[in-house]
Amino acid sequence: MRLVMNRPAERTDRPYARRWWALLVLCLSLLIIVMANTALTVAAPDMTRSLGLSSADLQWVIDGYTVPYAALMLLLGAIGDKYSRRGALVLGLVVFGGGAVFGYLADSAATVITARAVMGVGAALIMPATLSLLAATFPRDERAKAITLWTATAGLAIAAGPVVAGALLKHHGWASTFLINVPIAAVALVAALVLVPPSKAGHHDRIDYVGGLLSVLWIGSLVYMIIEGPHFGWDAKAITAAAVAAAGLVAFVLWELRHPRPILDVRRFADRRFAGSNLAVALFFLAVFGAFYYLTQHLQFVLGYDALATGLRMLPLAGAVFAGSALTGYLTPRVGMKWTVTAGMVGGTAALALLTRVDASSSYGDFVAPLVILGLAIGLALSPCTDAIMGAFPEAELGVGGAVNDTSLELGGSLGIAILGSLLSTSYAHHLSGATAGSRLPASALSTAQDSVGAGYAVAQGIGDKARLLAAQAARTSDPHQAAQLKAQAAQLAQGAQRMKDAVGSSFSDAVAHTSLIGALILGVGTLAVALLLPRGAAAREAEPAEAEEDVKELVGSGVN
């Protein structure tokens, strides 16, 4: 066996013998870039305490990864197509690992945000490369199965991130959640050179860099607006970002329509199957990332689980994703993607609808069914959509196809956290105001508690600490009258602390129920739109791109690295 695989995938006259091992490498690469986001959800409290992060700092620690990740994928996917898809993967792993080391060494909010942004650039190289290499390596009759496993890996990473981070936080600080990416990236890098065949487009014209830069401008501005507006208010920065995103999108579409070799042929969105698949991916990850955002908070703050216990309790989602993926692999060839995707989206809507029943008395058992249904829904819907999106692109544009799929995913996830996260925050603040009415809680303390569920429990703890301090003073006081007064004050404060704690828990539970209702309505309306968009004959049409691809492969020229 050669130490470095150097025979291009395009020049093999039969399916690549080690393609399933290559898929393992691609899935491992995908695993770390998804886990980089989900692991942070349980590491955030420890990081906030250690670095003294404000709520704005923490938001940008999370989203500093998202902006370059979403904005750069289309351009970097096209560059990978032209020069080297495996090269893009390897370079992405190096950049991602370097950013992780930088994050491990970071000692301030600015350096952590910078490290996350560097990791986002690495992820923008890795993500489209994994899908384009998968499509180039597997024959068409096996590609759907390979994409199903790729999608299942993404579902596993969503749940595995908190488990890994929680285990590390048992004995190490938040920085360890950055460092764990380094050995995984190193293993994936070496394995990519040994097991993944090099690949690039057999014929590729000059890259449409103007279109690529316009895509970076409008997608980056859109994601920035999605983050900035709902969380920090619609000030001049958010409004400017919205205007730039709108103008950039118009300029991008007009340029691509006129360019003879566009970086992305926007006419593809006139195809119902392609447009419906992208809409389904975006809507699904809006629901998944939004729900994940508030479910992890509920498990940690309201139910009191630590980081590891929270991660373990998200595992039913991962197991259900694998079950749903196996089910869609059986059903889609028989009934067509329209029905499996629609069924998956109906399941996702039902999962969110079940979460509307959450209240102050809810236990973990009330979350198991929604998690399982949501996991099954992910497995059912996303693999056929990804396969349809990739099948719409010729061999020369597989990297662009992967980037389109992943951009839809990332935009949906960003919208989910922004929209549902903003609704959650507003609903929580409103319910807490009502729950504490008449409690004589100082306005400043109420304002602090309304900032987040964590801040609310911190206020309750502060009141309890003051009660314990007064009780200790009473025990040391020799004057019986003064001691009695201090004890009475301590008891009153202790009761106030418990009422505050109960009010925070019930308010956040009510906010989860309210936000889930809005999420279910959004996904429900989206389900109808996708069902109308996707054509009935989608399953029969899946063979068409394969025929075009075989014609293209006959034109493939010399080898690549």
Side-chain angles (χ1 to χ4, degrees):
M1 185 176 74
R2 293 186 182 94
L3 182 62
V4 175
M5 179 64 194
N6 55 22
R7 183 173 179 82
E10 293 82 7
R11 296 191 63 189
T12 56
D13 54 0
R14 65 187 64 184
Y16 173 53
R18 288 181 282 167
R19 59 193 178 280
W20 296 104
W21 287 105
L23 178 63
L24 180 63
V25 178
L26 301 178
C27 288
L28 184 64
S29 303
L30 171 69
L31 186 75
I32 58 172
I33 62 176
V34 177
M35 281 177 54
N37 255 352
T38 58
L40 196 64
T41 58
V42 295
D46 187 47
M47 185 187 299
T48 300
R49 288 189 295 268
S50 175
L51 298 179
L53 301 180
S54 66
S55 59
D57 290 335
L58 181 59
Q59 191 64 48
W60 278 109
V61 164
I62 295 170
D63 291 317
Y65 181 84
T66 303
V67 176
Y69 180 20
L72 292 170
M73 272 193 287
L74 189 61
L75 177 58
L76 295 180
I79 291 173
D81 279 336
K82 181 173 177 60
Y83 295 106
S84 175
R85 292 161 182 153
R86 188 179 69 173
L89 174 64
V90 169
L91 178 59
L93 289 167
V94 171
V95 173
F96 188 90
V101 171
F102 187 33
Y104 173 74
L105 299 173
D107 58 1
S108 68
T111 50
V112 173
I113 293 169
T114 302
R116 291 274 296 166
V118 172
M119 293 172 71
V121 173
L125 282 160
I126 295 168
M127 191 73 157
T130 60
L131 267 179
S132 60
L133 285 165
L134 182 156
T137 304
F138 281 83
R140 181 68 202 183
D141 59 347
E142 293 181 345
R143 191 178 297 171
K145 184 184 297 184
I147 287 176
T148 296
L149 292 173
W150 184 92
T151 306
T153 301
L156 173 64
I158 290 172
V163 175
V164 173
L168 289 170
L169 290 169
K170 279 283 190 181
H171 305 290
H172 306 283
W174 61 266
S176 62
T177 60
F178 279 85
L179 197 61
I180 190 61
N181 293 298
V182 177
I184 300 175
V187 169
L189 190 155
V190 173
L193 295 173
V194 175
L195 296 170
V196 178
S199 171
K200 73 175 182 181
H203 60 93
H204 198 294
D205 298 312
R206 292 179 60 186
I207 294 174
D208 171 22
Y209 281 108
V210 173
L213 292 175
L214 285 172
S215 75
V216 173
L217 178 68
W218 82 262
I219 295 173
S221 299
L222 178 62
V223 174
Y224 181 89
M225 179 205 74
I226 290 169
I227 296 165
E228 186 75 18
H231 288 103
F232 306 115
W234 293 96
D235 56 11
K237 291 187 291 185
I239 294 171
T240 300
V244 171
L249 175 59
V250 171
F252 174 75
V253 171
L254 292 176
W255 176 268
E256 297 300 276
L257 288 173
R258 294 171 61 88
H259 198 282
R261 295 173 297 277
I263 194 169
L264 172 63
D265 186 355
V266 294
R267 296 176 183 85
R268 282 196 174 91
F269 286 94
D271 180 84
R272 290 169 56 192
R273 185 165 179 256
F274 182 76
S277 296
N278 277 285
L279 180 61
V281 169
L283 286 169
F284 227 103
F285 274 86
L286 184 155
V288 170
F289 274 64
F292 195 85
Y293 176 76
Y294 56 74
L295 286 179
T296 51
Q297 290 186 68
H298 196 282
L299 292 174
Q300 284 186 280
F301 291 108
V302 179
L303 298 185
Y305 295 115
D306 63 18
L308 178 59
T310 297
L312 290 172
R313 281 163 177 77
M314 297 299 289
L315 286 179
L317 175 73
V321 169
F322 275 95
S325 297
L327 190 58
T328 199
Y330 174 80
L331 289 176
T332 303
R334 291 165 174 79
V335 301
M337 68 166 292
K338 178 183 178 76
W339 300 109
T340 52
V341 171
T342 303
M345 296 187 73
V346 168
T349 304
L352 292 179
L354 285 174
L355 290 172
T356 62
R357 302 165 59 192
V358 171
D359 58 27
S361 64
S362 295
S363 64
Y364 170 68
D366 297 303
F367 293 91
V368 174
L371 284 172
V372 170
I373 294 171
L374 187 59
L376 286 170
I378 293 170
L380 268 177
L382 292 183
S383 297
C385 289
T386 299
D387 191 33
I389 292 168
M390 293 301 294
F393 289 86
E395 186 274 341
E397 299 178 23
L398 291 176
V400 173
V404 169
N405 178 83
D406 302 333
T407 301
S408 295
L409 184 157
E410 197 61 27
L411 285 176
S414 298
L415 280 168
I417 293 174
I419 295 173
L420 298 186
S422 180
L423 286 169
L424 178 79
S425 179
T426 302
S427 180
Y428 164 71
H430 173 74
H431 281 97
L432 186 62
S433 179
T436 56
S439 65
R440 294 185 295 179
L441 185 70
S444 60
L446 176 59
S447 178
T448 300
Q450 287 177 314
D451 186 57
S452 67
V453 63
Y457 279 117
V459 169
Q461 184 177 352
I463 297 171
D465 290 342
K466 190 173 181 180
R468 286 186 286 274
L469 181 62
L470 289 175
Q473 289 178 350
R476 294 194 302 268
T477 301
S478 57
D479 184 349
H481 178 68
Q482 186 179 8
Q485 285 183 323
L486 289 172
K487 285 181 180 178
Q489 291 174 6
Q492 187 177 19
L493 283 173
Q495 291 175 354
Q498 185 59 50
R499 285 196 296 269
M500 184 65 188
K501 184 178 178 182
D502 293 342
V504 170
S506 63
S507 298
F508 193 77
S509 297
D510 291 341
V512 167
H514 178 257
T515 305
S516 297
L517 174 62
I518 303 301
L521 290 173
I522 293 172
L523 191 55
V525 172
T527 300
L528 292 175
V530 169
L532 290 172
L533 270 174
L534 291 176
R536 286 181 180 272
R541 292 175 56 196
E542 288 179 3
E544 293 178 8
E547 295 172 6
E549 180 181 326
E550 291 304 317
D551 292 338
V552 170
K553 282 192 173 184
E554 292 178 4
L555 302 174
V556 173
S558 59
V560 291
N561 277 302

